[in-house]
Amino acid sequence: QAQAVLLLTPVTIAGMQDENVVAVKGTVAEIFGNKFILQDDTGRTLVELGPQGEDAAAVTKGEAVTVQGMFEGGFIHAQLVAHADGRNQAFGPPGPPPPRREVDRGPGRRPPPPPR
């Protein structure tokens, strides 16, 4: 895995602006699967790690981390989590949806009408 680097200077959670790429430094307050609550002296925010965060224990409760990502709709879509021990974990944008498979319904058969 390639080493990613923080590109932005961290701001406070209260100082984040919607629909901007931000970096925030704080403590992991709670963890919910691939999401966690990041807390600093100014407030709390939800951080979403996306599909790459599903399997890994990316953060631990009480850990100090810096998160960089897109702040949108009240939470951060993480692109990078930097740990105090120097480890960086990249969490890219969500992948494309799975390809749609056409179902062979046999000759002359039409797909069912769309639900109303």
Side-chain angles (χ1 to χ4, degrees), residues 4-75:
V5 272
L6 284 173
L7 303 174
L8 300 174
T9 302
V11 297
T12 62
I13 288 172
M16 293 188 301
Q17 293 182 6
D18 204 28
E19 298 187 10
N20 275 297
V21 175
V22 297
V24 288
K25 195 176 205 170
T27 305
V28 177
E30 297 172 59
I31 301 170
F32 310 96
N34 70 337
K35 299 174 180 66
F36 65 92
I37 301 287
L38 186 69
Q39 181 174 329
D40 71 7
D41 294 338
T42 68
R44 294 159 67 103
T45 190
L46 184 65
V47 177
E48 202 264 327
L49 299 175
Q52 296 95 322
E54 292 286 354
D55 307 323
V59 295
T60 55
K61 191 170 176 173
E63 179 183 12
V65 295
T66 302
V67 176
Q68 181 172 301
M70 174 62 81
F71 180 62
E72 191 170 46
F75 65 97

